[in-house]
Amino acid sequence: MFKLALRTLRLRKGGFLATFVAVFFGALVVSACGGLMETGIRSETPVQRLAAAPIVVGGQQTLRLPEEDPATLDPEDKHKFENATLPERVRLNAGLADRLRAVPGVTDVVGEVTFPAQIGSASALGHAWNSAVLTPYALKGDAPKPGEVVVDAGRGLAVGDTVPVAAHGRVGQYRVSGLAEAPQAMRDSAVFFAASDAEKLSGHPGRFDTIGVFGGDVAAVTAAVGDAGVVATGVDRGAFEFPETGKSGENLIVLAAVSGGLSALVMVFVVAGTLTLSTQQRQRELALLRAVGTTPRQLRRMVLGEALVVGLLAVGAAVVLGPVLGRWLFGELADHHVVPDVLRFEQGWLPAVVAAGASLLAVFGASFVAGRRASRVRPTEALAEAAVERRWLTPIRLITAILCFAGGTALGIVTVAVMTGPVAASTAGPAVMLWAFGLAAISPGVTKLMAMLLRWPVEALTGVNGRVALRNTRVGAVRAAGAVTPIMLAVGIATANIYLQTTQEAVSNQAFTEDLQADAVVAGPSGLDPSVLGRVRATPGVASASEYVTSTVFVEKPFDSGQNDDGRPALGVSELTGNAVEVPSTLGHRVGDTLSLRLGDGTPVDVRVTAVVSQRPGFEKLVLPAGLLAPHTTAGLAPQLLVRAAPGVDPATLASRLREATAGLPVFVGDRGTLIAAHAKGNEVGAWVNYLLVGMIIAYTVIAVVNTLVTATARRRREFGVQRLSGFTRGQVLRMAGVEGGLIATIAVLLGTLVAAGAIVPFCLVVTGSPLPSGPVTIYLAVLAIAVVLSLVAILVPAWAATRGRAVDATSIGE
């Protein structure tokens, strides 16, 4: 039977090409997403600034959090704890360097500090010159003394020039004492200061970002460090140089897992539909084989062999090209600042194995079902049954549909009853797939039912062509469902995910705008010197001004059951002082309670609740004094001031006066619109990721739609020939095919809209109180138009080709 399978592959290239395309693109997407996941897991970052130091010590960027109330846990029960990534850089005490110098075999220990700086209008990172040996840089000129700097070669500066340098909220004039040249390309430009200047400008005196160790044994260095830090060698050193790669790697894992899993599930339905359609179109051939004595087992082996041969070829091509697509996707994510551009894309053999396994499993399952269905006819009934569609509602389909509908309903109830704010998307999103898969499982029956419901409007608009198209759709419900299902998936996934995203953006922007009382903003790229606040408050026309700091904190005591490993968003303002905190009412605390927190850099602090405020659900924040929060951020300073105008002062006048008051300082003055636009820009990054990954999946379903419709229509040449011999003109046949395409598109759009509504309505009821999403209706109209045009083109083009030539010739060819 395997030899027979190979022969049929040569004779039926069109049907097997359709299977090849479906499996290839499914495996390609899964393989690419696997590469993104592997990249996130590895989070490998080539070392740049720290390349010369064989051993690097950095701060512990993770925090151990209990998943349950510690009062109920055994201290040794590690399974009840999770590691959270601290969002701010954790620095090391400078005294650790002295301890490391005493380790036997250590020849040199160099502490390194990094802080943002600007040379003129160009951005750079500031360091102490003695840390240049960690790269190492080659110096042309002299090492900097206090008041001097060494700058990158190639900036157009010469030794002896005087340049303005802004750092830690201040601007100073520095003499260029030398030019430094790195041995390799560096992501960030560097400016080196004397050690005393660098310590002041870093904002963290007595602290190092990292410590480079030369010589010595790794185990001895690790023992000397103890709990004071983390020791890294080799490629792991890059995580200390670019700590943002840690959290970005976690996010990349989640993105790849969601998109890859979604692609795999879609592939199962697309491959199953394609193989089922291909097998159904061969009923006459399979019936003849049964009639001449082929056993059911042999027939199943033949169908399985054909599918596996095609599947192996498709998977082989996909796993070769998977890294190409994965690298392209990673490049797009890096270009849009979703992941750091220093993160290195890595794709080994494991994603290829997973993609191949998932794809071949889908092929095996689909071909097993198709072969089993084809082989169940008794030999005496084979020829009679060949032209008639079998029953489609099997126990497996029914059970799958019931489970999916039950799951979708349960997620909808959870979304409405339990979830609050944007987090509701975590349950609303998966509901889309459950509703879609439930409808896909019973798609032939639903297609037939929808065709009956649309009978009157279709017949009224299209006449006899519509009646024939309706009959074809009802009689060939399994064939039509093969086209309806992928379009329904594309419409449902696209509509739900896009409108969930636009609604999230609208709600986030609305919450930010409602809370925003400022009329202007004063921002500093390297942070704002505390003296700027007093200068701004003294400006005529200013009613109030406050520092504005954002970070993340972790509540340790009392136990916060609603806190995950992302912690709690925190906001720092100047109106609060000391160790006060304002908490949202949803946390259940009262005025006078004491909270034990870990700030963004892991520093423990106890704060007292001074106010309990009502905040928009899903956007709750802890409000802390800016003076408490800012020193424990990576920058160490407030990045901006929010300013409110006095009565009668218009925003333009206020901005003009603020520019005069801050003249000569490294700051930027903007209006209220600047703040809103900056916030919206931050949301666009998440939206772009969603659109990219969903678009990739939708592109795959579009290919599947064309694949299915072209294959199904091209195989109807004999049917079209019979219609023409019975009195239909070629134009009438094409119009009938067009009506079928429009009917398929209409059914798919209606079902896809129902699927999307199963996720959108519960989510919108939670976040906006309305069942309708936020976003332009043109999005839905565009999805609808694409579905209709796709269906019509994919049916009419092969129908036009199938009706070329004489009708009598068509009836003598094929089935």
Side-chain angles (χ1 to χ4, degrees), residues 325-339 688-689 692:
L325 177 60
R327 189 174 298 278
W328 178 83
L329 289 172
F330 181 80
E332 291 297 305
L333 293 173
D335 290 344
H336 289 79
H337 308 292
V338 179
V339 297
W688 183 88
V689 174
L692 174 67

Side-chain angles (χ1 to χ4, degrees), residues 287-296 298 379:
L288 285 171
L289 289 173
R290 289 287 289 118
V292 298
T294 304
T295 66
Q298 289 176 319

Side-chain angles (χ1 to χ4, degrees), residues 304-500:
L304 179 61
E306 293 169 350
L308 287 179
V309 169
V310 176
L312 287 171
L313 292 174
V315 166
V319 297
V320 171
L321 296 177
V324 178
L325 177 60
R327 189 174 298 278
W328 178 83
L329 289 172
F330 181 80
E332 291 297 305
L333 293 173
D335 290 344
H336 289 79
H337 308 292
V338 179
V339 297
D341 54 4
V342 293
L343 198 64
R344 184 164 58 193
F345 178 78
E346 294 285 345
Q347 182 161 349
W349 57 269
L350 188 58
V353 171
V354 173
S359 303
L360 292 178
L361 186 61
V363 170
F364 179 84
S367 60
F368 177 81
V369 173
R372 183 170 177 269
R373 181 179 301 174
S375 65
R376 292 182 66 183
V377 176
R378 289 177 295 177
T380 56
E381 300 175 353
L383 293 178
E385 290 285 331
V388 180
E389 286 190 346
R390 309 266 182 103
R391 67 183 182 91
W392 57 269
L393 186 60
T394 62
I396 294 178
R397 281 179 175 266
L398 182 60
I399 293 172
T400 300
I402 292 174
L403 292 176
C404 287
F405 290 148
T409 302
L411 286 178
I413 294 173
V414 170
T415 301
V416 174
V418 178
M419 297 297 177
T420 59
V423 72
S426 61
T427 52
V432 177
M433 300 310 303
L434 289 175
W435 286 111
F437 292 158
L439 285 176
I442 56 173
S443 183
V446 176
T447 299
K448 184 179 292 188
L449 175 62
M450 293 296 294
M452 294 173 61
L453 295 176
L454 294 171
R455 173 185 174 187
W456 295 109
V458 171
E459 289 184 353
L461 292 174
T462 59
V464 65
N465 293 319
R467 286 196 291 272
V468 177
L470 282 167
R471 180 165 296 181
N472 287 339
T473 303
R474 291 199 301 269
V475 173
V478 174
R479 180 192 66 209
V484 167
T485 298
I487 300 177
M488 179 265 292
L489 287 172
V491 171
I493 293 172
T495 304
N497 282 276
I498 292 175
Y499 276 117
L500 286 176

Side-chain angles (χ1 to χ4, degrees), residues 118 120 147 149 162-167 169-175 193 201 664 666:
Q118 279 191 299
V149 292
T162 299
V163 294
V165 179
R170 304 172 185 174
V171 177
Q173 297 293 324
Y174 291 82
R175 177 183 176 275
F193 298 82
L201 295 175

Side-chain angles (χ1 to χ4, degrees), residues 115-126 152 155 166 187-191 525:
F115 51 92
Q118 279 191 299
I119 304 176
S121 60
S123 61
L125 290 180
D152 282 338
R155 281 186 175 272
R187 186 191 72 172
D188 302 303
S189 296
V191 54

